[in-house]
Amino acid sequence: MDINKIRADFPILKEEVYGKPLVYFDNGATTQKPLQVIDCINHFHRHKNSSIHRGVHFLSDQATEEYEKAREAVRSFINASYAHEVIFTSGTTGSINGVAFSFGEKYVHENDEIVISEMEHHANIVPWQMLCERKNARLKIIPFDDKGLLNIEQFEKLLNEKTRIIAITHASNTLATINPVKEIIKIAHRHNIPVLVDGAQSVPHLPVDVQDMDCDFFVFSGHKIYGPTGIGVLYGKEKWLNEIPPFQGGGDMVEKVTFEKTTYNQLPYRFEAGTTNYIGAICLIKALEYVQSIGLLEIQEHEHNLLSYATKRLDDLGYITIYGRAPQKTSLISFNINDIHHYDAGMVLDKMGIAMRTGTHCAQPVMQHYGIDGNIRASFGLYNTTEEIDLLIEGIKKVKTMFG
Ligand code: PMP
């Protein structure tokens, strides 16, 4: 990987904050965009903008064609069987809420159970809780150990004839654990239970093959994989998408509307009510192409090196607690500087130009597990370097001198 060439593709990395070069370590929250994505958004608005699936005019036809090409590109990226198994949504949150509502309406009833894990992002907790409240159903939780590994034995014990669906993160946004989703899905399917996999934190870091994984639903966000905000994906097996009802009504998702009755459009359109973020979808492809041009395996190796380097340097300081020590991790480290509040640390590091997330990272149950009210999260992307990690270590030493 030619890191200098890659960095040159991301204009924001040349910015300074407080007169210091920006060190961007908040990739778990959102990634920066390469010129290819920025130019795509600009070019489309300047030359091609028109609503899809609506008109017979040239621009509308052209936009529709590009949008459907984007769907095919996502299909290929995650190796879905059919392009109509790819639904464009507003993001991971939109996708999970859609499935929780729609699957829940049809299949979840009083006293039924839904299984999630202790390490989920709030986006994969709250929609299921809301469903449980609506239906008087129950949420069951797979615990993790102090290293950040799910207890698979315990997981299997949670399953029974009342379990309707399992929703699990592929990679934790706080512990970085890459979960054994294939094994989890195999166990679930032995009990005929479908599985939704939250891929928000895995898709940017490792190759994903939904057929090999055999998940029933897979969701992710464009903005975490160097693409635009407001666009995301809901992959669903054709069988499920044909069985569950649409989660929103409106234009484009219908076949025939009368005041007496409405019939719905075919897949995938029945799940894409209203004017979608078609420019987001079309320009997401530039991000996927960008990642593919570097190679997900190369990115994985680079990020793994960053993770190992940062872990060692943090451990060497002797006063850092790292949360999450799974053998398989994405390039993200949650930690605290012993006896120093994470907000104090975050504020000093910010003044040094280092952008990191402090707090609970929308995963409050993870903090509750460790009995802390938050921590600092450094999450690395394909453009980060070991020199930037050195700056973080210098920053932490400064924090320790100030507050220690
Ligand atoms: N799940 C996980 C694991 C995440 O990290 C995030 C984003 N932090 C989400 C879901 C929600 O993603 P979005 O805000 O893009 O909908």
Side-chain angles (χ1 to χ4, degrees):
M1 275 176 64
D2 183 346
I3 200 75
N4 290 329
K5 186 166 168 292
I6 288 171
R7 287 181 71 83
D9 286 333
F10 291 82
I12 203 168
L13 298 179
K14 295 189 196 81
E15 289 294 313
E16 293 194 338
V17 291
Y18 310 112
K20 309 263 172 22
L22 169 68
V23 173
Y24 188 76
F25 283 163
D26 198 14
N27 296 284
T30 199
T31 51
Q32 301 302 346
K33 319 302 168 200
L35 280 167
Q36 289 82 340
V37 171
I38 298 168
D39 290 349
C40 173
I41 295 168
N42 190 317
H43 181 81
F44 205 90
H45 281 106
R46 276 175 176 267
H47 301 288
K48 296 185 168 173
N49 184 42
S50 180
S51 185
I52 53 164
H53 298 148
R54 297 292 205 284
V56 288
H57 60 83
F58 178 82
L59 285 182
S60 177
D61 268 355
Q62 183 178 244
T64 303
E65 200 177 306
E66 289 205 29
Y67 183 70
E68 293 307 327
K69 267 194 202 151
R71 197 188 305 280
E72 167 53 28
V74 172
R75 182 210 66 73
S76 158
F77 194 78
I78 59 172
N79 195 33
S81 303
Y82 311 106
H84 60 249
E85 292 178 322
V86 172
I87 312 293
F88 285 116
T89 65
S90 58
T92 306
T93 304
S95 299
I96 298 174
N97 274 278
V99 176
F101 179 81
S102 171
F103 182 95
E105 276 312 290
K106 184 149 178 189
Y107 292 109
V108 178
H109 304 289
E110 193 168 347
N111 292 328
D112 281 347
E113 295 178 359
I114 292 158
V115 173
I116 63 170
S117 89
E118 195 187 0
M119 66 171 78
E120 300 308 313
H121 183 281
H122 297 163
N124 204 26
I125 302 175
V126 185
W128 303 111
Q129 266 175 335
M130 291 162 79
L131 168 63
C132 286
E133 270 176 35
R134 279 201 308 277
K135 297 286 188 145
N136 216 0
R138 277 192 295 267
L139 209 53
K140 295 278 166 151
I141 312 298
I142 316 166
F144 66 80
D145 66 17
D146 282 353
K147 275 189 170 170
L149 290 167
L150 288 180
N151 185 330
I152 300 297
E153 254 176 47
Q154 187 71 21
F155 159 64
E156 196 158 6
K157 285 193 192 132
L158 290 177
L159 306 182
N160 59 50
E161 71 289 347
K162 290 188 214 143
T163 317
R164 290 290 158 265
I165 190 166
I166 296 158
I168 189 96
T169 196
H170 194 178
S172 158
N173 77 323
T174 307
L175 304 167
T177 312
I178 301 173
N179 285 319
V181 283
K182 224 175 137 172
E183 188 189 344
I184 290 171
I185 291 164
K186 214 179 236 168
I187 295 170
H189 285 176
R190 276 211 301 271
H191 296 259
N192 287 323
I193 303 164
V195 181
L196 176 143
V197 175
D198 175 353
Q201 296 290 343
S202 63
V203 152
H205 304 291
L206 41 127
V208 165
D209 181 331
V210 291
Q211 289 189 71
D212 180 57
M213 199 188 288
D214 201 23
C215 52
D216 300 275
F217 300 99
F218 185 88
V219 300
F220 68 94
S221 299
H223 70 98
K224 291 191 199 277
I225 182 164
Y226 312 100
T229 46
I231 187 73
V233 169
L234 160 60
Y235 156 83
K237 277 185 184 165
E238 185 188 48
K239 160 183 134 53
W240 284 115
L241 293 179
N242 274 325
E243 280 186 25
I244 62 176
F247 35 79
Q248 284 193 313
D252 231 22
M253 53 77 73
V254 292
E255 185 187 54
K256 186 165 166 75
V257 179
T258 66
F259 288 121
E260 288 70 40
K261 187 173 169 58
T262 290
T263 53
Y264 302 134
N265 206 338
Q266 64 197 29
L267 288 180
Y269 313 112
R270 65 201 294 256
F271 289 104
E272 292 181 355
T275 304
T276 59
N277 183 1
Y278 53 92
I279 302 186
I282 289 163
C283 298
L284 169 62
I285 297 327
K286 298 292 170 195
L288 300 185
E289 283 170 2
Y290 187 83
V291 163
Q292 280 170 320
S293 74
I294 299 169
L296 264 160
L297 292 175
E298 283 75 7
I299 292 171
Q300 216 178 353
E301 191 187 334
H302 171 71
E303 292 180 345
H304 180 75
N305 291 340
L306 293 176
L307 177 71
S308 306
Y309 183 77
T311 306
K312 175 156 191 339
R313 292 231 48 199
L314 287 170
D315 279 339
D316 284 350
L317 289 174
Y319 47 79
I320 302 288
T321 304
I322 292 181
Y323 303 93
R325 296 271 189 179
Q328 306 280 339
K329 285 178 68 171
T330 58
S331 52
L332 172 160
I333 307 185
S334 285
F335 63 94
N336 267 324
I337 309 171
N338 295 351
D339 306 324
I340 297 173
H341 198 271
H342 50 93
Y343 282 135
D344 290 334
M347 258 154 54
V348 175
L349 292 164
D350 171 51
K351 292 289 181 296
M352 299 176 73
I354 304 171
M356 291 197 298
R357 181 100 180 242
T358 48
T360 60
H361 323 309
C362 295
Q364 288 179 19
V366 173
M367 303 302 152
Q368 288 152 15
H369 176 107
Y370 292 104
I372 54 177
D373 68 351
N375 66 27
I376 310 167
R377 184 180 74 182
S379 47
F380 311 122
L382 57 85
Y383 35 62
N384 288 124
T385 64
T386 50
E387 289 77 17
E388 289 179 308
I389 292 169
D390 291 340
L391 290 173
L392 169 63
I393 299 295
E394 288 317 303
I396 291 173
K397 286 180 183 165
K398 189 167 170 189
V399 171
K400 183 74 179 163
T401 319
M402 286 172 75
F403 295 96

